[in-house]
Amino acid sequence: MYEVRFSINISKKRYLEIYRSPAYQVVVKSHNGQHIQFPAKYLNSFVTPSGIIGNFRILYSEANKFLRMEKI
């Protein structure tokens, strides 16, 4: 298992625009400089009235499959 860590600060309004778009992908720059892309739905449980703000990590299996996302 390995992980990618990143920070995000996005308003609730902007997140909903992304989520409702046909492509609904989020692209972030990880703490080590790598750009990662993932479906916006992975952030659904982290939406607050202020939006999505904080540090997160995505855990992947050895086969490079998404396992889960956590706020850290």
Side-chain angles (χ1 to χ4, degrees):
M1 182 170 27
Y2 70 97
E3 67 181 48
V4 176
R5 293 177 180 238
F6 64 94
S7 299
I8 193 167
N9 184 348
I10 188 169
S11 71
K12 185 176 181 178
K13 179 182 176 186
R14 179 67 184 130
Y15 174 72
L16 291 175
E17 289 170 358
I18 294 167
Y19 186 74
R20 291 180 181 143
S21 73
Y24 72 95
Q25 295 288 309
V26 175
V27 179
V28 296
K29 188 173 183 180
S30 70
H31 291 170
N32 68 1
Q34 177 184 15
H35 286 88
I36 56 171
Q37 180 176 326
F38 54 87
K41 68 181 182 180
Y42 293 164
L43 292 168
N44 283 352
S45 63
F46 304 107
V47 179
T48 68
S50 301
I52 305 170
I53 302 167
N55 294 302
F56 296 84
R57 71 178 181 166
I58 297 177
L59 298 168
Y60 294 96
S61 71
E62 295 300 323
N64 204 30
K65 300 290 183 186
F66 176 89
L67 296 174
R68 67 183 177 274
M69 182 180 294
E70 301 172 342
K71 188 168 183 177
I72 51 176

